[in-house]
Amino acid sequence: MFGLFKKTSELDKLQKKYEKLMADWHRLSTTNRAESDKKYAEAEQILKQIEALKS
């Protein structure tokens, strides 16, 4: 109940976005290699942002 109005941090938002991109990357890896590579590149950028926030 008390976590209902809790705001998500920037780190949490980036981690969820990273997980979604990696899931898309894995799904596309068997059907569309070019799109899969784009998703992986986006995920790597998000990972760099996550690492920058952690340090």
Side-chain angles (χ1 to χ4, degrees):
M1 172 89 183
F2 294 107
L4 183 64
F5 299 108
K6 181 180 172 186
K7 293 192 181 252
T8 56
S9 69
E10 186 68 24
L11 184 61
D12 290 339
K13 290 178 187 178
L14 287 173
Q15 285 178 336
K16 286 185 180 184
K17 189 172 182 180
Y18 176 76
E19 290 173 7
K20 182 185 181 307
L21 285 169
M22 290 303 284
D24 290 345
W25 164 72
H26 187 265
R27 182 179 48 81
L28 287 170
S29 66
T30 58
T31 57
N32 190 343
R33 189 64 184 193
E35 286 297 317
S36 170
D37 291 342
K38 287 179 187 177
K39 292 290 183 184
Y40 188 78
E42 287 179 41
E44 286 297 310
Q45 292 297 322
I46 298 295
L47 184 61
K48 287 178 185 178
Q49 290 176 359
I50 289 171
E51 290 173 353
L53 284 176
K54 284 185 177 180
S55 62

